[in-house]
Amino acid sequence: MVSTGPTNGSDERHPMTGNRMDSGDAAAHSWGEFERHRYDVVVIGAGGAGLRAAVAAHDAGARVAVVCKSLLGKAHTVMAEGGIAASMGNLYPDDNWRVHFRDTMRGGKMLNNWRMAQLHAQEAPERVLELEDWGALFDRTPDGLISQRDFGGHRYARLAHVGDRTGLEMIRTLQQHVVSLGIDVFMECTVTDIFKAPAGRGPGRVSGAFAYWRETGRFVVFEAPAVVLATGGIGKSYQVTSNSWEYTGDGHALAMRTGASLINMEFVQFHPTGMVWPPSVRGLLVTESVRGDGGALRNSEGQRFMFDYIPEYFKEETADSVEEAEGWYADKKNNRRPPELLPRDEVARAINSEIKAGRGSPHGGVYLDIASRRDAEFIKRRLPSMYHQFKELADVDITKEPMEVGPTCHYVMGGVEVDADTEESIVTGLYAAGEVAGGMHGSNRLGGNSLSDLLVFGRRAGHHAAYYTHRLRDDRPAIAEDDVRNAADRALAPFEIQDGGENPYTIQKDLQDVMQRLVGIIRTADELSEALVEIERLKERAKHLAVEGNRQYNPGWHLAIDLTNQLIVSECIAKAALERKESRGGHTRDDYPGPDDSWGQVNLVLTLPGGDFASPVELRHQPLPVMPGELEELFD
Amino acid sequence: MTQTEAGTGVRSRGRASIEERTLRRDRWWQTPLAYGLTLAVVGLYLLYAVLVNRNYYWEPYISPMYSPCLTANCVANSGWGWFPSISPVTPALIIIVFPAGLRATCYYYRKAYYRSFFLSPPACAVAEPHKTYKGESRFPMVVQNVHRYFFYITLVFNAILTYDAVIAFRDHQGNWGHMGLGTLVLLVNAVLLWLYNLSCHSCRHVVGGRLRHFSKHPVRYWLWSQATRLNARHAQIAWASLVFVALTDLYVRLVASGTISDVRFF
Amino acid sequence: MGYDLSMRVWRGDAGGGALGDYTVAVEEGEVVLDAIHRLQATQAGDLAVRWNCKAGKCGSCSAEVNGRPRLMCMTRLSDFDPAETITVTPVRTFPVIRDLVTDVSYNYEKARQVPAVQLPPRDPDGKRRMMQQDVQRGQEFRKCIECFLCQDVCHVIRDHEDNKPKYAGPRFFIRYAELDMHPLDTTDRRKLAQDAAGLGMCNITKCCTEVCPEGIKITDNAIIPMKERVVDRKYDPVTWLGSKIRRRDPRDEV
Ligand SMILES: Cc1cc2nc3c(=O)[nH]c(=O)nc-3n(C[C@H](O)[C@H](O)[C@H](O)COP(=O)(O)OP(=O)(O)OC[C@H]3O[C@@H](n4cnc5c(N)ncnc54)[C@H](O)[C@@H]3O)c2cc1C
Ligand code: SF4
Ligand code: SF4
Ligand code: FES
Ligand code: FES
């Protein structure tokens, strides 16, 4: 009946994907025949965080597998443009981790986990230099050091970059390094469940993971005592987003279903500048580097409106006149930064208000103008992909005309609650790093802090996961065969429903509509409550998802599975947003417009005690970890 | 053109089964056809020019196909007479192998004739007719790797052709201060040939391309940058210089044969 | 200003398949991938297609549109006449998995065969110094998004399945070039490029350059310079002799 031990798949495995070569049988499966693999550490996700974790675990002597939904090298990280924040001080020797730490905390409106922010600021420079050891070619300063660029919220020019394709450089470098180390990669393989074995009290410990090959629809069981989640974000739950189909919050949902908790889910970052036209590319990111390199925001009256939106909190370091702002690009010592470079939440809200006030552009955005401010040569050299993106997708030559931009859902600050030093969740053996982890960015993430976050915490997660498995020795938790069977049944459920089933594409569209309309940038209690009711309805409908075709590379089926994750995550966002009665960072309540100090000490923690997408999400308050005195001093 | 045999190339087992050898609907055959025809016409003309062995010199103009005229059977005053007469063989033969070799192994012409004559491939995403293909990895095509030697040698030829253009500023009697249309033609021809050599990929490689640290060799970096700029136009220069060599020869030929008379500027 | 677009889309798998006719409503400003997605959402839920970024950055959505290798997300419908039928097939050089999805494992295998970068220790202050002009050649090649369209169009393997084991393809020629031009790398890969990677099989017909969505000058800036470097190492008696006498490889001509 049940197969004993892992089948040795190596001889008949697919050369790239590790897939079994005999073709998948449509609906039937017999229990003993799942492909099985045994590893020390399984990393879910091959973005910056996942790959860095895999390298660290490998270096610590663990047998590692990387599992990812797309091909290797296509994860979201590839789309990151601007740069990696690290206080290397190559251009401004005054820069150091303390300044970076302070910027990060202030950007996150002090809601960050201070310890994570500290580790992040301290370790980022070394992580960047490591990339260089592995072959990355960053842009250089005249002295031959890694060049650094300005970004919103950062006191100094701090972002290591390669033109506007830094994410590509990062993922390619890590990918090539992973390949040269011989780490096993399972591509186009989606994890749908994480297994646990009961362990005394507490939520148990990880015993493995369950996945299907997208190519054949066949199932795989990974036996592993440590699983690192590095699955990225949730943006696909919104209509206008810079995120791809992969961002269905799988890791967030997997963690909750396994018994772990999420924090800060009410904080969703809307990037101020996404494309607004043509409709098919609505939401596509326009990198912040456009502003860092001199771009200015204007409304339909031609006015640089950001000067009207400088909040009290940042008054001290922001230029209040056009002259001073202009002076800053050349002389950063004696001028304050232009308000266009305020943290993203501020700029996104300002743009939103301008559009609402009727001062928007024809396609419902505002103007981002670099054409009249920098020469064509400079623009093409510094922003080549932006130049092409607009040229090819919108027929706009950004060296001649302004761009039309508007806010787009970009990043989720919230994620799995983890221990700051080890990235372990409250479930033993379950780790999380990268966008899927919460805490590091507080209520708002600074640009460039994500790529560094991936490297710093990816490495920590991989490292600690490996050591955890070493410490286990032979005491490895076993996977209960019932769990495997249930996981398979759950995955195949959409094939069971024959008539009158729901189309996953339709439900996804409806969900995106609800989230965009009711849980967007500006929120109110009424709308959020309405959203929760709507989501409940969608969950009900999602119990009857049906798909056509068979299991072989079937996107409809894949979506049906991902959709349940989106529903869980959306509920978390709406629920936490309704609970937090203040405005802070990526969470703006029309009915509670200002920040509230008492809320500034509270994290909202979400769990899913039922373990199933149809069961309700629970929420509780938890005090923020307290910063030690010597760090506190940095803020006086 | 024969059809690719079923079961190979784009019809290999496992690939998406599509009958057509290409689904391109544009006139992809136009460019290779046009290039092939041009190459054939110019090539034939030059072959004719080499073989006729007359009307290549009309003082002070010499056809580039015959310069330097090294054998004793060169037309009076045209040559250097270094070698005994190898009549009836044309003196152009000794010379022509080098420029011809340069062009035959030129990275650009290789592209053009592999596409137009060898049809490998006739155009992008259009299946080629051959069953097997080894490219330039084996004899005879591996010989293409001598390209840089042709490059070096033809530099000397360019110098000589420049000299020819300069002495074309002398008139029929050998007095300086003359210029005719022929002078201009020889001058333009020499310039185009220089540009052709300077935009050559081997040139780009030897002046700096082979370095790993441009920063340590600013002069060579500058040279490389210039070669790179020219190199981007190498294809156009290749065509222009090829056609112009033929035209130069034609002009000298027409003047020398008395068909037309040289236009004299001063 | 939407209209109804006629499309022919290849459906099937390794066992066989055919072009299917579809009519799909499209809007102004859309790209081929939008049309495919609409097809998927409304008429063919199981139509298999790869994509991620929809912005020409990830290189997932490679296919052949009217016989030309293209990224579907960067092929605008406005480039075609609204009356024209657009034919979309999977790339024809790699085995098909289903519909528009192909098995590109060939490329991942070739990637494994390139020896990784090998740098000397860092400078005493823990940093590395490289000048912009020394890294910029490599940076051009690192723009590659691994869409594998160049690999798809290269006739050496497109038209000759039997060449696959001996041929790395243009994507990896730029990788060899990148490493060979890296200002600090210490490994000589030139012989490998010529022998194991099959650089000599490329006949510089430039189709790879024509299709590269990143505009990388694959042939002019990577393949031909690599061929010249191989000549330095393998075929040029003078540089060879020079390296014997001066005991210095032209590669070390720093
Ligand atoms: C357009 C854009 C520009 C950006 N620019 C910047 C910038 O300039 N600087 C910066 O710091 N940040 C930037 N960001 C943010 C940053 O890129 C992301 O937050 C970061 O890349 C996330 O990395 P990750 O490793 O967490 O996840 P990802 O890179 O998204 O990787 C997720 C991985 O998980 C896999 N996966 C997901 N679910 C499953 C599953 N169920 N089973 C198996 N595998 C799964 C996916 O296949 C993928 O491999 C940008 C983001 C976008 C969208
Ligand atoms: S130039 Fe070479 S590598 Fe590029 S497509 Fe042609 S044969 Fe292939
Ligand atoms: S070189 Fe160009 S065509 Fe080839 S894989 Fe890279 S991006 Fe694609
Ligand atoms: S002459 Fe054409 S490449 Fe050298
Ligand atoms: S979807 Fe990423 S390149 Fe087309």
Side-chain angles (χ1 to χ4, degrees):
Chain A
M1 269 221 335
V2 175
S3 79
T4 46
T7 55
N8 177 11
S10 59
D11 26 35
E12 1 129 57
R13 272 173 53 177
H14 192 289
M16 165 183 60
T17 55
N19 203 352
R20 285 249 293 261
M21 297 301 281
D22 45 325
S23 67
D25 176 5
H29 56 269
S30 56
W31 299 118
E33 280 181 17
F34 293 142
E35 180 183 340
R36 278 176 182 255
H37 300 277
R38 179 173 286 179
Y39 286 97
D40 296 332
V41 177
V42 168
V43 178
I44 309 177
L51 294 176
R52 189 62 189 84
V55 170
H58 174 93
D59 288 351
R63 281 200 66 218
V64 192
V66 177
V67 188
C68 53
K69 287 210 272 193
S70 303
L71 295 174
L72 182 57
K74 312 292 180 199
H76 232 82
T77 302
V78 83
M79 295 166 69
E81 292 160 354
I84 314 175
S87 56
M88 293 183 287
N90 288 349
L91 285 167
Y92 294 89
D94 289 347
D95 198 9
N96 59 44
W97 75 263
R98 284 185 187 81
V99 189
H100 190 183
F101 168 76
R102 183 174 181 271
D103 290 346
T104 303
M105 291 296 293
R106 281 169 59 87
K109 302 277 161 60
M110 306 305 284
L111 210 67
N112 320 49
N113 178 315
W114 66 268
R115 176 66 180 155
M116 289 177 92
Q118 180 191 28
L119 289 170
H120 168 258
Q122 287 173 331
E123 295 178 4
E126 177 56 25
R127 297 288 84 78
V128 172
L129 289 164
E130 249 165 25
L131 289 183
E132 202 171 49
D133 292 342
W134 300 333
L137 295 176
F138 291 102
D139 287 350
R140 321 301 301 181
T141 66
D143 305 335
L145 296 170
I146 295 174
S147 176
Q148 300 187 268
R149 80 157 31 121
D150 276 304
F151 241 50
H154 291 283
R155 174 98 177 72
Y156 295 107
R158 184 180 283 150
L159 269 69
H161 61 275
V162 188
D164 50 6
R165 54 164 190 86
T166 314
L168 172 63
E169 188 70 13
M170 176 160 156
I171 202 160
R172 199 66 78 234
T173 304
L174 287 169
Q175 168 188 352
Q176 284 163 349
H177 192 57
V178 158
V179 167
S180 75
L181 294 176
I183 294 172
D184 291 348
V185 183
F186 293 74
M187 301 184 213
E188 302 208 301
C189 185
T190 306
V191 174
T192 61
D193 273 283
I194 293 173
F195 298 126
K196 249 183 356 181
R201 283 169 296 136
R205 45 182 199 153
V206 166
S207 57
F210 187 80
Y212 65 88
W213 290 109
R214 282 161 42 91
E215 180 180 333
T216 55
R218 293 176 67 109
F219 295 123
V220 203
V221 175
F222 293 96
E223 297 174 18
V227 168
V228 178
L229 294 170
T231 54
I234 57 98
K236 211 54 201 170
S237 297
Y238 286 82
Q239 216 164 40
V240 179
T241 175
S242 64
N243 294 172
S244 84
W245 68 270
E246 287 199 303
Y247 267 25
T248 47
D250 292 9
H252 291 80
L254 282 170
M256 286 188 97
R257 290 180 36 226
T258 315
S261 48
L262 306 188
I263 56 169
N264 289 351
M265 288 305 287
E266 61 276 35
F267 300 110
V268 176
Q269 180 169 80
F270 288 82
H271 195 287
T273 59
M275 289 175 81
V276 295
W277 198 90
S280 85
V281 295
R282 197 178 177 109
L284 214 65
L285 194 75
V286 179
T287 174
E288 189 163 330
S289 328
V290 177
R291 283 169 285 140
D293 287 344
L297 288 165
R298 292 208 168 87
N299 59 21
S300 59
E301 292 157 9
Q303 181 201 4
R304 266 179 88 169
F305 58 84
M306 278 313 297
F307 287 99
D308 304 338
Y309 292 91
I310 304 170
E312 206 46 56
Y313 195 70
F314 293 107
K315 271 230 151 70
E316 228 174 85
E317 54 212 62
T318 311
D320 50 12
S321 70
V322 175
E323 294 71 48
E324 185 175 359
E326 291 303 294
W328 176 83
Y329 295 105
D331 175 8
K332 298 193 163 102
K333 279 241 150 66
N334 298 313
N335 293 292
R336 291 171 297 173
R337 349 172 27 94
E340 272 89 0
L341 289 176
L342 282 167
R344 289 176 178 173
D345 51 330
E346 309 289 352
V347 185
R349 270 193 301 271
I351 294 178
N352 201 55
S353 315
E354 286 296 306
I355 298 171
K356 280 221 167 120
R359 294 188 290 270
S361 67
H363 297 107
V366 294
Y367 294 108
L368 174 57
D369 172 28
I370 192 163
S372 71
R373 302 168 50 81
R374 296 286 180 268
D375 64 62
E377 198 42 46
F378 177 89
I379 298 172
K380 283 190 204 164
R381 183 165 47 83
R382 299 281 293 200
L383 304 162
S385 17
M386 278 307 110
Y387 175 74
H388 279 115
Q389 184 172 314
F390 273 89
K391 189 99 203 142
E392 282 167 38
L393 293 173
D395 256 338
V396 168
D397 182 346
I398 65 167
T399 65
K400 299 206 172 74
E401 318 160 54
M403 302 161 238
E404 273 185 75
V405 296
T408 177
C409 174
H410 184 56
Y411 185 89
V412 62
M413 271 66 75
V416 182
E417 186 189 14
V418 292
D419 174 73
D421 288 83
T422 63
E423 314 334 304
E424 190 172 30
S425 71
I426 57 173
V427 177
T428 308
L430 184 66
Y431 297 76
E435 191 167 343
V436 68
M440 156 71 205
H441 303 288
S443 68
N444 176 47
R445 169 178 76 89
L446 293 185
N449 265 1
S450 170
L451 291 185
S452 40
D453 162 13
L454 308 184
L455 295 172
V456 169
F457 296 108
R459 174 181 154 278
R460 284 186 161 265
H463 188 82
H464 287 284
Y467 278 106
Y468 163 68
T469 62
H470 285 316
R471 286 197 307 273
L472 283 179
R473 294 174 196 278
D474 291 333
D475 172 32
R476 298 199 166 203
I479 299 176
E481 286 310 319
D482 274 352
D483 290 349
V484 177
R485 208 162 312 164
N486 291 339
D489 285 343
R490 205 181 73 84
L492 290 176
F495 286 108
E496 304 297 324
I497 293 176
Q498 297 301 336
D499 303 307
E502 295 274 354
N503 178 344
Y505 294 99
T506 318
I507 300 193
Q508 189 187 40
K509 208 161 151 272
D510 294 347
L511 175 66
Q512 290 167 341
D513 177 61
V514 168
M515 294 302 283
Q516 189 76 31
R517 254 187 322 116
L518 306 174
V519 199
I521 304 185
I522 312 289
R523 303 159 172 178
T524 65
D526 291 347
E527 290 184 343
L528 291 168
S529 312
E530 189 188 335
L532 282 167
V533 174
E534 292 282 346
I535 293 170
E536 203 48 49
R537 256 187 229 137
L538 291 170
K539 278 168 89 173
E540 200 48 47
R541 279 169 65 194
K543 288 180 186 159
H544 311 286
L545 284 171
V547 295
E548 51 182 302
N550 63 25
R551 280 162 64 184
Q552 210 191 351
Y553 218 110
N554 185 338
W557 179 42
H558 303 163
L559 178 59
I561 295 177
D562 295 348
L563 187 58
T564 57
N565 299 329
Q566 289 189 288
L567 287 164
I568 299 179
V569 173
S570 300
E571 182 174 348
C572 289
I573 298 173
K575 204 157 202 159
L578 180 61
E579 180 73 8
R580 185 174 282 275
K581 297 180 182 60
E582 63 158 353
S583 294
R584 180 184 296 270
H587 170 68
T588 307
R589 286 281 295 262
D590 219 15
D591 38 0
Y592 299 94
D596 175 333
D597 284 347
S598 60
W599 275 105
Q601 307 302 321
V602 178
N603 276 148
L604 297 177
V605 181
L606 299 139
T607 49
L608 191 72
D612 174 66
F613 90 92
S615 61
V617 167
E618 289 193 358
L619 181 149
R620 67 187 156 79
H621 292 216
Q622 179 173 293
L624 218 61
V626 182
M627 206 188 300
E630 77 261 24
L631 292 178
E632 196 86 65
E633 283 167 13
L634 293 172
F635 297 90
D636 297 335
Chain B
M1 268 174 247
T2 50
Q3 284 265 297
T4 320
E5 211 170 275
T8 64
V10 283
R11 302 216 190 103
S12 302
R13 208 150 55 91
R15 303 201 195 174
S17 65
I18 298 166
E19 263 312 295
E20 291 83 351
R21 56 196 283 266
T22 183
L23 286 166
R24 278 181 71 166
R25 276 182 282 176
D26 54 337
R27 298 201 195 92
W28 53 262
W29 41 267
Q30 258 177 0
T31 314
L33 189 68
Y35 284 180
L37 284 178
T38 316
L39 269 183
V41 169
V42 178
L44 284 175
Y45 171 79
L46 291 177
L47 191 65
Y48 158 81
V50 164
L51 294 178
V52 285
N53 197 9
R54 57 185 152 85
N55 293 336
Y56 56 83
Y57 186 67
W58 183 84
E59 194 157 3
Y61 306 143
I62 183 162
S63 157
M65 313 294 296
Y66 287 79
S67 176
C69 203
L70 297 177
T71 58
N73 61 331
C74 292
V75 183
N77 293 336
S78 71
W80 311 45
W82 285 0
F83 298 100
S85 166
I86 42 170
S87 175
V89 180
T90 154
L93 268 190
I94 314 178
I95 307 153
I96 199 69
V97 287
F98 298 104
L102 179 70
R103 292 197 186 239
T105 59
C106 163
Y107 287 99
Y108 171 70
Y109 284 108
R110 270 142 81 180
K111 170 194 169 189
Y113 65 73
Y114 285 138
R115 282 197 186 193
S116 298
F117 298 145
F118 291 69
L119 306 179
S120 64
C124 301
V126 178
E128 62 175 55
H130 313 283
K131 272 202 198 134
T132 58
Y133 169 89
K134 293 290 162 234
E136 304 182 336
S137 60
R138 307 230 173 119
F139 191 79
M141 290 307 181
V142 73
V143 174
Q144 305 279 28
N145 286 310
V146 304
H147 182 62
R148 65 172 62 158
Y149 283 96
F150 285 116
F151 163 73
Y152 295 137
I153 295 169
T154 46
L155 287 177
V156 178
F157 283 75
N158 287 352
I160 293 168
L161 293 179
T162 311
Y163 170 78
D164 289 342
V166 170
I167 60 172
F169 281 99
R170 296 189 309 196
D171 65 12
H172 226 64
Q173 284 74 41
N175 301 319
W176 287 99
H178 151 276
M179 184 173 175
L181 183 55
T183 318
L184 190 65
V185 168
L186 289 195
L187 204 59
V188 171
N189 185 49
V191 168
L192 283 174
L193 288 176
W194 275 116
L195 286 177
Y196 178 61
N197 270 50
L198 294 178
S199 63
C200 165
H201 283 279
S202 292
C203 171
R204 185 177 178 223
H205 177 71
V206 295
V207 299
R210 67 155 62 113
L211 296 174
R212 287 204 291 154
H213 291 95
F214 285 146
S215 54
K216 296 188 184 155
H217 303 268
V219 176
R220 290 183 71 181
Y221 178 47
W222 184 86
L223 288 172
W224 177 84
S225 308
Q226 302 310 313
T228 298
R229 278 174 53 191
L230 282 177
N231 181 265
R233 299 239 112 25
H234 189 58
Q236 289 88 326
I237 296 171
W239 283 115
S241 59
L242 180 71
V243 171
F244 208 84
V245 165
L247 289 180
T248 309
D249 178 87
L250 183 67
Y251 184 78
V252 175
R253 191 165 300 283
L254 291 176
V255 173
S257 64
T259 318
I260 58 169
S261 50
D262 184 36
V263 182
R264 188 171 171 156
F265 301 144
F266 50 81
Chain C
M1 278 194 299
Y3 62 96
D4 283 338
L5 170 76
S6 340
M7 292 188 96
R8 300 177 75 208
V9 181
W10 194 88
R11 306 285 315 263
D13 56 25
L19 289 166
D21 290 301
Y22 297 90
T23 305
V24 55
V26 294
E27 299 291 330
E28 187 191 355
E30 289 193 326
V31 292
V32 170
L33 188 61
D34 290 311
I36 295 284
H37 277 157
R38 187 136 327 117
L39 212 58
Q40 204 181 41
T42 57
Q43 301 174 39
D46 60 342
L47 170 63
V49 55
R50 265 192 199 116
W51 67 285
N52 271 39
C53 66
K54 218 172 158 287
K57 291 193 175 137
C58 72
S60 300
C61 63
S62 307
E64 296 187 11
V65 180
N66 283 352
R68 288 165 169 272
R70 303 288 300 258
L71 292 179
M72 285 187 278
C73 71
M74 295 304 274
T75 308
R76 288 170 55 122
L77 293 173
S78 58
D79 295 345
F80 303 89
D81 190 288
E84 193 179 342
T85 304
I86 296 182
T87 308
V88 186
T89 68
V91 295
R92 293 177 69 182
T93 297
F94 304 120
V96 68
I97 292 176
R98 214 163 78 79
D99 302 341
L100 300 177
V101 176
T102 52
D103 171 0
V104 291
S105 53
Y106 165 82
N107 302 292
Y108 288 92
E109 274 158 51
K110 296 298 171 186
R112 243 197 317 256
Q113 293 162 9
V114 187
V117 69
Q118 210 131 38
L119 306 187
R122 297 186 194 166
D123 294 348
D125 64 352
K127 296 183 176 178
R128 290 184 186 282
R129 281 162 186 80
M130 296 186 252
M131 290 300 167
Q132 183 62 37
Q133 63 264 47
D134 297 336
V135 298
Q136 78 198 7
R137 279 184 295 182
Q139 284 185 332
E140 178 187 8
F141 309 138
R142 290 185 72 86
K143 285 196 307 196
C144 170
I145 56 173
E146 299 208 326
C147 64
F148 306 129
L149 287 174
C150 55
Q151 306 282 80
D152 172 42
V153 82
C154 181
H155 68 111
V156 178
I157 46 174
R158 185 182 176 93
D159 296 333
H160 304 281
E161 184 73 24
D162 54 319
N163 282 338
K164 279 186 181 171
K166 300 164 289 201
Y167 189 69
R171 157 62 186 116
F172 298 100
F173 296 152
I174 66 174
R175 174 85 173 123
Y176 277 102
E178 172 213 323
L179 292 168
D180 213 60
M181 294 174 190
H182 192 295
L184 300 178
D185 179 66
T186 54
T187 316
D188 187 351
R189 299 174 187 74
R190 287 172 302 174
K191 260 187 98 115
L192 205 63
Q194 180 72 354
D195 302 339
L199 184 67
M201 273 200 270
C202 158
N203 66 354
I204 51 171
T205 35
K206 281 201 178 171
C207 288
C208 49
T209 308
E210 275 181 36
V211 301
C212 177
E214 285 293 298
I216 301 171
K217 299 270 179 292
I218 303 173
T219 323
D220 284 349
N221 288 350
I223 297 181
I224 295 176
M226 270 320 277
K227 283 193 176 231
E228 286 292 322
R229 283 163 184 247
V230 168
V231 174
D232 281 348
R233 173 85 171 72
K234 266 190 85 158
Y235 301 113
D236 186 336
V238 175
T239 43
W240 178 82
L241 208 64
S243 71
K244 290 286 160 206
I245 295 168
R246 291 187 298 168
R247 315 193 112 263
R248 209 178 71 169
D249 199 305
R251 185 168 192 276
D252 304 326
E253 217 187 302
V254 285

